[in-house]
């Protein structure tokens, strides 16, 4: 993302792990080096999260019919700078992240500010399986079977005030458990933002799991944002605070490099990033590139949100 030279030595190789195997081998996704030695990014489920069954979920009609990217790739090729800037770093180092106890406070321009214990968020409603494309600004993409709740469910519960126009997402930044935070790679904590109507859109997901299991730490446990029509970096991980505000918030990437990263960051094959073309992408595990679709293929559902806006200026 930043002007840090991208090390590509850990480019993933395609492999197959079926969801069935995931269900049969109940695992936490600590992603330790030991896990890699076994040929997977998995390790035994910690006692705190132990449960004999996969997370119950209902299938969402909003899923893409495309084939999900193998679990091994989804959990070993990550951007999570709190654990290092190399794609392999989060799987190697995120085991130090402590996901219990964990609270998420929702504050700002709301009638009922609340602090949720993470397990209460799990109880807000039935988890939905949503298979979404994720397109990174760097030119790679994946298809991920997320488990989560519409973000709108959480936001409605605090009753946004009429003056609330934007939503700010603040990630955890604990130097004791997140070693990357001790380096000033970005201005911590990691911040993301959406317009309120984007945040309330039915496609916007608060992910609590993937591939039928609780979220692997390297993918943003215990909860992260997923906004499938925007570049992957709009998906803040390990969120601790959500603030409803009147003015457009600054995001971590806008602060780091406003010329390269705009507030909207909608997937747009017509607007290149200064360092990467956005016209095509390489699906992780595939050899040939494919064309990138406007709004990452979700234009029917989300293009009306931007009617009348110049998306070259509002990139
Ligand atoms: N959230 C936090 N807190 N820290 C990060 O470094 N990286 C972002 C986003 N969310 C990031 C983050 C970027 S650049 C991407 S591409 C996605 O997470 C990657 O999500 P994934 O590793 O689950 O594919």
């Amino acid at each position: 993302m930043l002007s840090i030279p991208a090390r590509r030595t850990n480019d993933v190789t395609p492999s197959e792990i079926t969801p069935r195997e995931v269900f049969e081998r109940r695992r936490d996704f600590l992603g330790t080096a030991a896990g890699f030695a076994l040929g997977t990014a998995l390790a035994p489920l910690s006692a705190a999260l132990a449960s004999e069954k996969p997370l119950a979920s209902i299938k969402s009609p909003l899923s893409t019919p495309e084939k999900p990217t193998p679990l091994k790739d989804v959990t070993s090729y990550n951007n999570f700078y709190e654990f290092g800037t190399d794609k392999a770093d989060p799987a190697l180092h995120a085991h130090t992240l402590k996901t219990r106890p964990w609270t998420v406070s929702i504050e700002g321009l709301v009638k009922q500010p609340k602090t949720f214990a993470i397990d209460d968020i799990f109880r807000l409603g039935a988890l939905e399986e949503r298979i979404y494309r994720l397109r990174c600004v760097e030119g790679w993409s994946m298809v991920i079977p997320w488990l989560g709740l519409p973000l709108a469910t959480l936001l409605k519960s605090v009753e946004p005030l009429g003056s609330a126009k934007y939503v700010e997402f603040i990630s955890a930044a604990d130097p004791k458990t997140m070693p990357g935070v001790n380096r000033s790679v970005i201005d911590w904590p990691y911040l993301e933002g959406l317009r309120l109507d984007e945040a309330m859109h039915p496609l916007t997901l608060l992910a609590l799991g993937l591939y039928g299991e609780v979220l692997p730490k390297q993918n943003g446990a215990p909860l992260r944002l997923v906004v499938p029509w925007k570049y992957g970096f709009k998906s803040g991980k390990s969120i601790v605070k959500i603030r409803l505000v009147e003015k457009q918030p600054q995001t971590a990437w806008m602060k780091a490099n406003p010329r390269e990263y705009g507030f909207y960051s909608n997937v747009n094959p017509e607007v290149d990033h200064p360092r990467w073309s956005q016209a095509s992408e390489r699906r992780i595990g595939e050899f040939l590139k494919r064309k990138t679709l406007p709004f990452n293929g979700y234009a029917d559902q989300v293009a009306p949100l931007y009617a009348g806006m110049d998306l070259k200026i509002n990139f």
Side-chain angles (χ1 to χ4, degrees):
M1 297 284 299
L2 277 182
S3 303
I4 297 166
R7 284 192 275 145
R8 295 276 176 203
T9 47
N10 289 295
D11 241 16
V12 288
T13 50
S15 75
E16 283 298 324
I17 297 178
T18 66
R20 184 71 210 151
E21 282 169 324
V22 177
F23 293 158
E24 284 171 358
R25 299 175 60 212
R26 178 72 190 178
R27 292 289 189 260
D28 191 3
F29 294 77
L30 297 176
T32 58
F36 276 107
L38 293 170
T40 74
L42 313 180
L45 185 68
S46 69
L49 298 177
S51 121
E52 289 313 308
K53 291 189 185 132
L55 298 176
S57 67
I58 45 173
K59 302 224 177 283
S60 167
L62 297 169
S63 288
T64 169
E66 290 161 280
K67 187 169 170 265
T69 302
L71 173 66
K72 179 173 167 285
D73 296 337
V74 172
T75 55
S76 63
Y77 192 82
N78 303 102
N79 277 334
F80 198 175
Y81 279 19
E82 287 85 338
F83 297 99
T85 53
D86 192 279
K87 295 281 181 287
D89 282 339
L92 292 171
H93 305 303
H95 59 92
T96 55
L97 177 67
K98 244 184 113 220
T99 57
R100 296 292 188 287
W102 190 280
T103 57
V104 183
S105 55
I106 313 190
E107 54 185 54
L109 302 172
V110 298
K111 234 184 251 162
Q112 308 271 2
K114 281 184 192 164
T115 298
F116 289 90
I118 182 65
D119 293 317
D120 290 336
I121 296 181
F122 273 87
R123 288 185 202 106
L124 277 180
L127 296 189
E128 285 181 34
E129 184 195 67
R130 299 253 189 111
I131 307 174
Y132 280 164
R133 290 178 283 275
L134 179 139
R135 204 289 191 188
C136 179
V137 72
E138 296 162 339
W140 50 269
S141 65
M142 298 195 192
V143 173
I144 304 179
W146 299 106
L147 288 175
L149 298 163
L151 176 66
T153 304
L154 195 67
L155 294 179
K156 281 181 197 156
S157 78
V158 295
E159 300 180 55
L161 297 174
S163 51
K165 299 282 181 280
Y166 293 90
V167 189
E168 191 177 16
F169 301 88
I170 299 137
S171 294
D174 174 13
K176 284 198 225 89
T177 55
M178 301 174 130
V181 169
N182 295 304
R183 295 174 54 207
S184 47
V185 206
I186 60 168
D187 186 8
W188 308 105
Y190 189 94
L191 300 176
E192 259 312 331
L194 294 174
R195 227 170 47 194
L196 184 61
D197 57 347
E198 297 175 323
M200 297 294 275
H201 192 279
L203 282 174
T204 303
L205 194 71
L206 199 59
L208 298 157
L210 58 78
Y211 261 110
E213 301 282 349
V214 294
L215 264 189
K217 292 186 175 180
Q218 58 269 38
N219 292 87
L223 83 172
R224 55 91 59 83
L225 193 62
V226 180
V227 196
W229 69 95
K230 293 180 182 271
Y231 293 114
F233 67 85
K234 292 301 285 183
S235 312
K237 294 177 166 180
S238 304
I239 293 168
V240 288
K241 198 176 284 185
I242 299 176
R243 200 181 289 139
L244 283 85
V245 295
E246 194 172 354
K247 297 216 171 75
Q248 184 178 295
Q250 280 280 80
T251 70
W253 293 115
M254 287 165 78
K255 282 205 234 175
N257 196 339
R259 202 177 69 85
E260 297 196 1
Y261 304 106
F263 178 78
Y264 284 94
S265 304
N266 291 319
V267 173
N268 190 341
E270 310 222 318
V271 178
D272 281 341
H273 180 277
R275 283 182 284 143
W276 302 290
S277 162
Q278 301 304 320
S280 63
E281 66 201 55
R282 188 176 74 84
R283 182 76 39 95
I284 296 291
E286 292 179 6
F287 180 67
L288 294 176
K289 284 194 170 182
R290 56 175 73 212
K291 274 192 172 161
T292 288
L293 301 171
F295 298 105
N296 205 19
Y298 299 93
D300 286 355
Q301 292 110 303
V302 300
L305 291 174
Y306 310 100
M309 280 175 71
D310 183 337
L311 297 179
K312 288 203 163 84
I313 295 169
N314 296 288
F315 62 92

